[in-house]
Amino acid sequence: MNDKRRLMEEKAAFLNRAAEVYYQGEGELISNQEYDRIYDELETLEKETGIVLSNSPTARVGYEVISGLPKERHPSPMLSLDKTKDVGELRAWLGDKTGLLSWKLDGLTIVLTYRDGRLEKAVTRGDGITGEVITNNAKVFDNIPLVIPEKSEVVVRGEAVISYDDFEEINRTFEDADARYKNPRNLCSGTVRQLNNEITAQRHVKFYAFSLAKGGPADFRNEQLRWLADQGFDTVEYVKVDAENIEESVRGFEERIVDFSLPSDGLVLIFDDIEYGRGLGATAKFPRDSIAFKWKDETRETRLGRIIWNVSRTGSINPIAVFDPVELEGTTVSRASVHNLSIVKDLKLGEGDVITVYKANMIIPQIAENLTKSGTAVPPEECPVCGSSTVIKDDNGVETLHCPNPDCPAKRIKAFTHFVSRNAMNIEGLSEATLEKFVDEGIVREFADLFRLEEHRDFIVNMEGFGVKSFDNLVAAAEKASVTTPARLLFSLGIPNIGAANAKMIARECRNKWDKIQNITEEELAAIDGIGDIMARGYVGFFKNDVNINTVNSLMEVLTIDESFEDNSEGVLSGLIFVITGKVHHFENRDAVKATVEAAGGKTASSVSARTDFLINNDINSASSKNKKAKELDIPIITEEEFLKMLEGGNSNA
């Protein structure tokens, strides 16, 4: 059954990709006959297994917007688990019984109800007594079966989660850093409770079943999980344990936690014998048939070297302890956040103190204890970045240090976000949330630091949400981006009023020579079509500022600038200015259209004006502001097909 399910997943994913390519106008992956053949094979497998997965093209789950999420009381309370950090306690708890040890996934617990083989209802755990009905959203999770072979009533409990990779990818779509989610669990919670399930469908929520509340085998948990897999569910990964092998099994999970793709905050141990576990009953807070295992913190003794006072984008100045390197959980650790001024005082920290350190949840380095307590650490009276006088704030007894200067460079997270964006340096995988972490930790203080991340490898791979793979991907992306064009670098600097199109025009005018780009005069700039006197004055002033000069000089040490220049002034679109709007079908996106225009000698602009020669819009009858403006100015509106004919030397019908 599992082999057939995997085959169904592969066929569904391939058909969905083929349909996406076809309907977005990117060509064809397969012929119509081949598509129909694979579709028929998928339908046959679904009939054989009685399973229809939520991502199957045969399911056609519709999108729907609802006004609110109704509440529903659970038939019996869903209790939280008692916890331990001691493997010995875990072994003693299990006694001479057999149990199942599994990941404790850190997402949102969901209860699914099936009747007549079809998903009828999905409810969140809520407060354990009452949950919210999220059936509309559960139907578009990546891997939930909408139809199962079993026709009697089945109630399944499991965890809805979003992987770390999907979390980073989704967070990159939020331009506003404040709108981004802090961790995968928060993102999952917000996603599962959306009122528009089209948004849910875009966020790749996955469901992992961990128990049966009704239906299926009733004797042993491992039989239930195997049965759930036969019904089409992905189940939480588990191993069968007893007193002899439980310690070894826990170590096996521990060794994998750093690179595990799903958020997990520990393990769950449950008795395999269902009747035995049920007979134990429950306390007022916890069931007695299962227990959670939290990672025990490994501690090491070391010497505190110094405290770095690092300025965040909000202006708070956060203390970071730098200590002699120690091995913790298999990696080298040499620094830890101390969070605020109150903790520095409570721990009585000072240079040279002997401290003990650990990793909270095996990930985040922390100071456990100060053994010598010199108390000599003194907060800076001036901001370490801009030199402004610092301010101490007291919020309900918690003291924090702040920089009051609104123009402090450390607050320039938006500038870093712009610098790494797609049309600028295009460093893939660097979200604003990640940049904020790097700035907060003092890893990144200027643009050039983004190309020196290898110097902080040991620290970054142990940051929350990071691992060796994600770090290596990030370094590779930065290395790839370090070979860039003058236009990209110019746009990335964030010069006021200089957008991507203007940066390209200036670079072209300077024939891609960076020295000329940096030293072009106001008069030369003003002579470029689309560059006015105010823009020219601001541009020249930017490159006369000492701070900006130092920024560029630092970048020159880590970047390779491709100054090659192809003169396309005689291209087929030479002298023409285009504005592009609306959806495109023959190109990947509007940026690809712009690139094609410029490669053929033309220019692009963001808004329609009297100088515009053509507006490209596939919806000629659209009531958009650009269409209205073009009609008012009697500027031709052409489709992509007409634009492509122009490239081929044909005539537009406009």
Side-chain angles (χ1 to χ4, degrees):
M1 180 68 81
N2 285 341
D3 289 341
K4 287 186 177 180
R5 187 188 189 283
R6 279 194 291 271
L7 190 58
M8 290 161 59
E9 287 178 338
E10 292 171 3
K11 290 182 183 295
F14 181 75
L15 291 174
N16 289 336
R17 175 58 183 153
E20 179 183 14
V21 169
Y22 179 80
Y23 287 112
Q24 289 185 359
E26 299 175 16
E28 293 185 2
L29 287 182
I30 52 176
S31 66
N32 289 341
Q33 291 84 357
E34 185 70 4
Y35 181 95
D36 290 341
R37 182 185 66 78
I38 298 174
Y39 186 98
D40 290 342
E41 290 175 353
L42 176 59
E43 274 195 319
T44 299
L45 283 168
E46 289 175 344
K47 289 175 182 176
E48 289 177 3
T49 61
I51 299 168
V52 179
L53 300 173
S54 56
N55 69 339
S56 171
T58 69
R60 303 297 180 199
V61 177
Y63 297 131
E64 183 181 350
V65 179
I66 58 177
S67 59
L69 296 173
K71 299 283 200 308
E72 182 170 303
R73 192 177 179 90
H74 296 295
S76 59
M78 296 181 65
L79 302 175
S80 57
L81 299 181
D82 198 3
K83 302 172 181 64
T84 181
K85 288 187 175 184
D86 190 293
V87 180
E89 287 184 20
L90 212 59
R91 186 177 59 250
W93 181 91
L94 186 60
D96 61 356
K97 302 297 181 182
T98 301
L100 301 187
L101 187 67
S102 65
W103 291 112
K104 185 176 183 294
L105 298 180
D106 191 17
L108 207 66
T109 301
I110 307 291
V111 184
L112 306 178
T113 300
Y114 290 79
R115 290 193 177 94
D116 298 321
R118 295 186 175 276
L119 176 62
E120 181 180 88
K121 184 171 56 180
V123 183
T124 67
R125 178 184 181 276
D127 61 5
I129 303 298
T130 302
E132 291 177 306
V133 179
I134 50 105
T135 313
N136 207 36
N137 290 323
K139 287 181 178 179
V140 295
F141 287 2
D142 273 4
N143 63 337
I144 277 184
L146 302 177
V147 178
I148 62 175
E150 180 63 42
K151 302 308 176 189
S152 62
E153 184 177 6
V154 174
V155 180
V156 183
R157 291 179 177 178
E159 199 80 358
V161 293
I162 292 176
S163 72
Y164 285 116
D165 286 345
D166 286 330
F167 167 71
E168 293 291 346
E169 186 66 31
I170 293 163
N171 251 355
R172 278 197 290 272
T173 65
F174 293 95
E175 293 185 5
D176 182 1
D178 292 333
R180 291 174 179 165
Y181 291 86
K182 298 300 182 185
N183 53 58
R185 188 188 189 284
N186 288 348
L187 174 59
C188 185
S189 178
T191 298
V192 164
R193 301 174 66 254
Q194 286 286 330
L195 299 180
N196 181 351
N197 70 341
E198 185 171 7
I199 297 174
T200 307
Q202 296 166 358
R203 295 187 179 175
H204 302 295
V205 181
K206 293 179 175 61
F207 177 86
Y208 293 90
F210 56 65
S211 72
L212 265 173
K214 189 172 185 179
D219 295 329
F220 297 98
R221 298 283 180 186
N222 74 91
E223 290 178 355
Q224 287 190 337
L225 289 170
R226 286 200 299 268
W227 184 84
L228 283 166
D230 289 341
Q231 297 299 308
F233 292 93
D234 283 324
T235 61
V236 66
E237 182 185 341
Y238 68 95
V239 293
K240 203 168 181 179
V241 295
D242 55 28
E244 296 297 320
N245 71 350
I246 189 166
E247 291 189 29
E248 179 184 352
S249 298
V250 169
R251 282 197 300 272
F253 280 103
E254 283 180 344
E255 290 169 0
R256 297 171 52 204
I257 185 63
V258 174
D259 295 317
F260 191 48
S261 63
L262 301 176
S264 168
D265 57 354
L267 304 173
V268 173
L269 176 62
I270 190 167
F271 289 115
D272 191 23
D273 188 325
I274 296 172
E275 190 60 35
Y276 174 79
R278 186 177 294 127
L280 296 174
T283 69
K285 292 183 178 181
F286 311 118
R288 290 196 174 99
D289 68 344
S290 51
I291 186 172
F293 174 78
K294 296 287 190 175
W295 308 117
K296 186 175 182 179
D297 303 319
E298 179 184 3
T299 61
R300 287 286 184 273
E301 192 175 292
T302 184
R303 185 189 68 85
L304 178 63
R306 61 194 173 107
I307 293 179
I308 296 174
W309 298 88
N310 194 63
V311 189
S312 75
R313 74 180 182 90
T314 61
S316 62
I317 303 177
N318 306 312
I320 298 171
V322 180
F323 44 81
D324 293 344
V326 291
E327 288 290 318
L328 274 178
E329 313 291 358
T331 61
T332 302
V333 177
S334 61
R335 51 199 280 159
S337 173
V338 193
H339 302 296
N340 57 56
L341 189 55
S342 286
I343 295 177
V344 173
K345 291 180 178 179
D346 290 343
L347 288 171
K348 295 183 173 63
L349 294 177
E351 291 186 10
D353 280 347
V354 179
I355 59 174
T356 59
V357 294
Y358 70 102
K359 280 187 183 178
N361 287 328
M362 299 181 70
I363 296 173
I364 306 168
Q366 303 277 287
I367 295 177
E369 189 179 3
N370 183 2
L371 302 179
T372 49
K373 300 181 179 179
S374 70
T376 57
V378 178
E381 295 181 355
E382 294 182 348
C383 171
V385 176
C386 71
S388 299
S389 297
T390 56
V391 175
I392 295 177
K393 296 181 180 179
D394 190 315
D395 184 8
N396 292 323
V398 177
E399 289 187 340
T400 53
L401 192 66
H402 296 265
C403 170
N405 177 13
D407 298 318
C408 179
K411 299 179 181 180
R412 295 173 58 238
I413 290 295
K414 291 291 184 185
F416 283 107
T417 304
H418 171 77
F419 181 81
V420 305
S421 63
R422 185 178 64 183
N423 290 330
M425 295 303 292
N426 192 27
I427 305 179
E428 296 180 1
L430 260 181
S431 66
E432 188 165 320
T434 298
L435 285 166
E436 184 176 343
K437 289 179 184 177
F438 286 173
V439 172
D440 285 349
E441 296 291 350
I443 294 170
V444 171
R445 292 184 179 238
E446 61 175 344
F447 293 151
D449 290 337
L450 294 167
F451 302 94
R452 303 186 182 109
L453 296 178
E454 188 67 50
E455 298 174 8
H456 305 280
R457 180 185 184 89
D458 288 341
F459 182 74
I460 294 175
V461 296
N462 289 291
M463 289 174 62
E464 183 178 4
F466 268 87
V468 173
K469 183 179 179 182
S470 56
F471 174 79
D472 288 344
N473 289 342
L474 187 55
V475 169
E479 184 176 351
K480 179 181 177 182
S482 69
V483 180
T484 192
T485 65
R488 279 189 177 275
L489 175 56
L490 183 59
F491 175 58
S492 74
L493 295 175
I495 302 171
N497 301 312
I498 302 299
N502 289 333
K504 289 178 182 177
M505 286 192 291
I506 294 170
R508 188 162 56 235
E509 185 69 22
C510 297
R511 303 182 75 82
N512 278 352
K513 300 302 179 186
W514 182 257
D515 185 64
K516 177 62 177 176
I517 290 170
Q518 192 169 340
N519 293 288
I520 191 170
T521 66
E522 283 188 39
E523 292 74 18
E524 290 171 319
L525 282 166
I528 300 174
D529 186 27
I531 305 292
D533 292 340
I534 295 176
M535 292 171 65
R537 194 175 307 120
Y539 182 101
V540 172
F542 179 91
F543 283 108
K544 287 182 177 178
N545 180 283
D546 289 341
V547 173
N548 297 332
I549 291 172
N550 290 335
T551 295
V552 173
N553 289 342
S554 293
L555 284 169
M556 291 300 114
E557 296 175 4
V558 294
L559 297 180
T560 300
I561 311 297
D562 179 6
E563 294 186 330
S564 59
F565 179 72
E566 183 178 345
D567 188 353
N568 57 14
S569 59
E570 300 301 320
V572 67
L573 302 182
S574 177
L576 298 177
I577 298 176
F578 293 80
V579 174
I580 302 102
T581 190
K583 293 182 178 180
V584 294
H585 306 306
H586 296 281
F587 294 83
E588 181 180 358
N589 49 44
R590 291 201 294 267
D591 286 340
V593 184
K594 291 179 182 178
T596 302
V597 169
E598 291 160 5
K603 299 178 180 178
T604 62
S606 58
S607 59
V608 176
S609 69
R611 293 197 300 272
T612 305
D613 292 295
F614 293 96
L615 171 64
I616 301 175
N617 188 353
N618 286 314
D619 186 359
I620 292 178
N621 297 316
S622 166
S624 71
S625 59
K626 286 187 173 67
N627 267 28
K628 289 179 181 178
K629 187 71 173 178
K631 290 174 181 177
E632 289 173 6
L633 297 173
D634 201 25
I635 293 168
I637 303 173
I638 62 174
T639 63
E640 276 180 274
E641 286 79 6
E642 292 169 316
F643 168 67
L644 291 170
K645 287 181 181 178
M646 292 178 69
L647 286 174
E648 296 168 359
N651 295 317
S652 167
N653 294 328

